[in-house]
Amino acid sequence: MIPGAFEYVRPGTVEEAVAALVEHGDDAKLIAGGHSLLPLMKLRLAMPAVLVDISRIPDLSYVRVEGDEVAIGAGTRHFELEKDDVARAEVPILPYAASQVGDPQVRHRGTLGGTVAHSDPASDLPTALLALGGSVVVQGPGGRRSIPMTEFWLGFYETALAEDEVVVEVRVPRTGSAGWAYEKFTRRANDWPIVAVAAVEGRVALANMAGAVVRATATEEALARGASIAEAAGLADEGTSPSSDMHADPEYRRHLARLLTRRALEKASGAGAAAA
Ligand SMILES: Cc1cc2nc3c(=O)[nH]c(=O)nc-3n(C[C@H](O)[C@H](O)[C@H](O)COP(=O)(O)OP(=O)(O)OC[C@H]3O[C@@H](n4cnc5c(N)ncnc54)[C@H](O)[C@@H]3O)c2cc1C
């Protein structure tokens, strides 16, 4: 399919990108890697009149330690995150989750800001980010603000981002050598997860178990009161609302959530990083 006609602008700074969003309002859409937006445009499920290409804004791609946190620029591509030495040492679940996204072509084009802003409930990096906690830094006409990770993803393709805001950075706590695990279940290599589970330091997040990525709060509460891994993992699907599609019905997804959570918690409590 061929997308509808659109005007194309390429701002040189985040301020110019924000100005373009303010000027064109509803008609405008940011494009970064294009690996989620372009497929929607080809299906004509998205028909922006103006594409604001932020992929060449300098200084949006970085991974650096800032105090207790790791700051990652929104323009960082999945492949760059996967290979980054600072990320591997300071927050290893993220490069691993990045390595699980699609195929090399997708990982070389897709960006962290794009996958965060897109809010697909099956996306790998947002699941790992939600388990880590931290915040999403966004910039709009009034400057920058920080949105806690737990308040960012609201539903299917829906976030706390305003129409005239750009995701500029993600900040996560440094976890270093703390136990972690990312368990992704697919039918074929390179697929999106049917269900995925991220576990780090007693926090657990699930992909594809609701309209957006979600925390497995019943599991987390059980762990906090000293329940066994088996007992806590058995609660992983509590409060979720998995959908039905050609890959799995809700009951199967619930089963996978419990099973993968148990595996993830076992790995995270032992040699999780090494096993991954
Ligand atoms: C074949 C294929 C397989 C894939 N497999 C997986 C997979 O297994 N797991 C997975 O998690 N993902 C997968 N993806 C999606 C991939 O991770 C995308 O790269 C990602 O979801 C979007 O990043 P992008 O930079 O390409 O965003 P774009 O497509 O450019 O944009 C996506 C949306 O985010 C908005 N946006 C982009 N950047 C910003 C920003 N900085 N601030 C605010 N809004 C912004 C855009 O306006 C648009 O609405 C796959 C994609 C393809 C095509």
Side-chain angles (χ1 to χ4, degrees):
M1 286 279 287
I2 298 171
F6 54 84
E7 195 188 321
Y8 175 80
V9 293
R10 191 194 290 163
T13 62
V14 174
E15 287 73 18
E16 286 173 21
V18 170
L21 292 179
V22 171
E23 182 187 345
H24 299 287
D26 261 4
D27 291 337
K29 208 80 177 110
L30 296 173
I31 185 163
H35 268 55
S36 290
L37 183 57
L38 285 179
L40 291 178
M41 288 173 63
K42 288 183 175 177
L43 293 168
R44 305 222 173 184
L45 293 173
M47 293 187 65
V50 182
L51 274 190
V52 181
D53 183 353
I54 56 171
S55 66
R56 302 196 200 179
I57 295 180
D59 307 326
L60 267 187
S61 171
Y62 54 85
V63 181
R64 54 187 179 232
V65 171
E66 291 183 5
D68 292 341
E69 293 184 314
V70 178
I72 308 169
T76 307
R77 299 194 188 269
H78 307 325
F79 177 77
E80 293 170 328
L81 185 54
E82 178 187 344
K83 300 295 176 198
D84 189 88
D85 287 337
V86 172
R88 285 180 171 205
E90 301 292 346
V91 64
I93 192 171
L94 278 189
Y96 181 76
S99 78
Q100 299 300 295
V101 175
D103 53 37
Q105 185 183 357
V106 175
R107 296 198 289 277
H108 276 84
R109 292 297 308 165
T111 65
L112 187 63
T115 191
V116 164
H118 193 56
S119 190
D120 188 313
S123 41
D124 291 297
L125 279 163
T127 307
L129 289 169
L130 188 60
L132 282 165
S135 55
V136 180
V137 182
V138 306
Q139 185 169 332
R144 291 191 173 196
R145 67 183 178 118
S146 206
I147 305 172
M149 217 67 91
T150 45
E151 296 170 19
F152 189 80
W153 293 286
L154 303 179
F156 191 69
Y157 295 172
E158 195 193 342
T159 68
L161 194 65
E163 262 178 16
D164 53 6
E165 287 178 323
V166 179
V167 175
V168 288
E169 187 177 87
V170 159
R171 301 182 71 87
V172 291
R174 297 165 68 181
T175 59
S177 58
W180 62 273
Y182 187 73
E183 291 289 310
K184 172 173 176 172
F185 187 81
T186 59
R187 288 184 62 221
R188 302 168 307 183
N190 301 335
D191 271 355
W192 290 81
I194 293 175
V195 172
V197 176
V200 56
E201 294 182 316
R203 297 181 299 276
V204 179
L206 310 169
N208 235 354
M209 289 299 291
V213 292
V214 285
R215 289 272 281 269
T217 46
T219 293
E220 293 177 346
E221 284 162 13
L223 290 172
R225 65 171 182 267
S228 68
I229 285 179
E231 188 191 334
L235 303 170
D237 62 316
E238 212 175 281
T240 63
S241 49
S243 61
S244 185
D245 60 23
M246 62 189 279
H247 300 302
D249 63 19
E251 215 29 64
Y252 184 50
R253 283 202 160 88
R254 287 180 182 280
H255 162 74
L256 284 175
R258 296 188 296 263
L259 180 74
L260 297 178
T261 298
R262 200 189 72 220
R263 283 185 192 162
L265 290 173
E266 283 169 356
K267 276 190 187 174
S269 68

